[in-house]
Amino acid sequence: ARLNHPNIVTVFDFGEQDDVSFIVMEFVRGRELAQAFDAGESFTLAEAVRIMGELLDALAFAHGQRVVHRDVKPANVMLDDGGRVKLTDFGVARVASHQGDRTMPGTMVGTPSYMAPEQILGLAVGSRADLFAAGVILYQFLTGQRPFAGGGTFAVQRRIVNDPATPPSALNPALPPLFDDIVARALAKQPEDRYVSAQDFAADLQRALGAVPSHSVDLDLHGDAGESTNGSL
């Protein structure tokens, strides 16, 4: 409820009545990013960077309030009728301790295809796990598929922990290779090798977009992730 930010769904009230807990939230007229991906909707490179920037801005604000989302995925990223991002569903979020931004080790929480390696391994989870998940979403924008997908939950988790992601430009030759380095850093296996903050991630995206030729800014990126979008992975 304290996350008052234009890119985060507003919580107006919460409570309990007749042993039923409830949350009163802002109504967002729009669609989930997952629906856009599943429908094969196309985004330009500029649109993808804008949407990612708004998502990362929301995460930066949440992390600044010591809240780690832990389940960042397209189904929890809404696009309102104006195309603006609204990050939703903080149902498994944790408030980090004053000693650092890491939640305690323990039960694995999240959605497999978007989990960071430390989540899968049941280790302590901090804000950089959210940045890993944001990196997976960026990869979907750039290539139309997830970096670690197919073969069932165990196979997906094994790939996340052990296998490097194929560089986006290898799958989408029209994509400026500047974005390969950004994706590689966001999807680093070790948290300390990822971006320090959501702000740094967003700044790198803006720099990369500014460095590409003008015709590439309007490059259409196809959101059809095919088989990899099936199921709840």
Side-chain angles (χ1 to χ4, degrees):
R2 71 184 184 218
L3 299 180
N4 184 12
H5 186 275
N7 299 120
I8 297 176
V9 166
T10 302
V11 173
F12 295 115
D13 196 12
F14 55 91
E16 223 177 279
Q17 184 172 355
D18 299 328
D19 295 325
V20 176
S21 299
F22 65 86
I23 302 175
V24 182
M25 293 187 292
E26 167 189 13
F27 176 73
V28 179
R29 191 179 301 278
R31 69 199 191 285
E32 297 172 357
L33 181 58
Q35 293 173 304
F37 283 158
D38 290 347
E41 190 170 324
S42 291
F43 297 88
T44 67
L45 185 58
E47 286 171 335
V49 170
R50 177 191 62 79
I51 292 169
M52 286 300 306
E54 291 181 7
L55 170 59
L56 290 166
D57 199 27
L59 289 174
F61 186 81
H63 296 163
Q65 298 294 313
R66 300 187 298 110
V67 174
V68 180
H69 190 288
R70 301 201 301 174
D71 196 21
V72 175
K73 58 184 178 182
N76 288 338
V77 178
M78 290 202 68
L79 300 176
D80 68 16
D81 281 349
R84 186 174 67 172
V85 166
K86 289 283 188 176
L87 180 60
T88 71
D89 199 353
F90 283 77
V92 297
R94 289 289 301 273
V95 178
S97 70
H98 287 287
Q99 284 72 41
D101 77 340
R102 293 189 150 208
T103 55
M104 292 299 292
T107 305
M108 185 172 65
V109 175
T111 301
S113 287
Y114 300 89
M115 283 183 179
E118 61 270 24
Q119 284 176 285
I120 291 170
L121 296 172
L123 303 176
V125 174
S127 59
R128 294 190 197 188
D130 286 347
L131 302 186
F132 183 96
V136 176
I137 294 175
L138 173 63
Y139 196 95
Q140 285 185 264
F141 270 120
L142 299 178
T143 69
Q145 60 187 323
R146 293 193 291 250
F148 313 101
T153 301
F154 178 77
V156 168
Q157 293 175 334
R158 180 185 57 76
R159 290 184 185 120
I160 290 172
V161 172
N162 297 304
D163 298 347
T166 301
S169 65
L171 299 174
N172 183 356
L175 183 72
L178 286 166
F179 289 87
D180 290 348
D181 291 340
I182 296 174
V183 166
R185 187 172 178 188
L187 298 181
K189 304 302 182 186
Q190 300 299 322
E192 58 269 23
D193 293 332
R194 294 177 212 141
Y195 284 100
V196 173
S197 67
Q199 294 99 319
D200 289 346
F201 191 166
D204 258 11
L205 280 174
Q206 286 296 332
R207 276 192 290 270
L209 185 67
V212 300
S214 57
H215 67 272
S216 293
V217 170
D218 295 321
L219 171 74
D220 272 337
L221 304 170
H222 296 285
D224 185 2
E227 177 274 334
S228 66
T229 61
N230 295 333
S232 60
L233 293 182

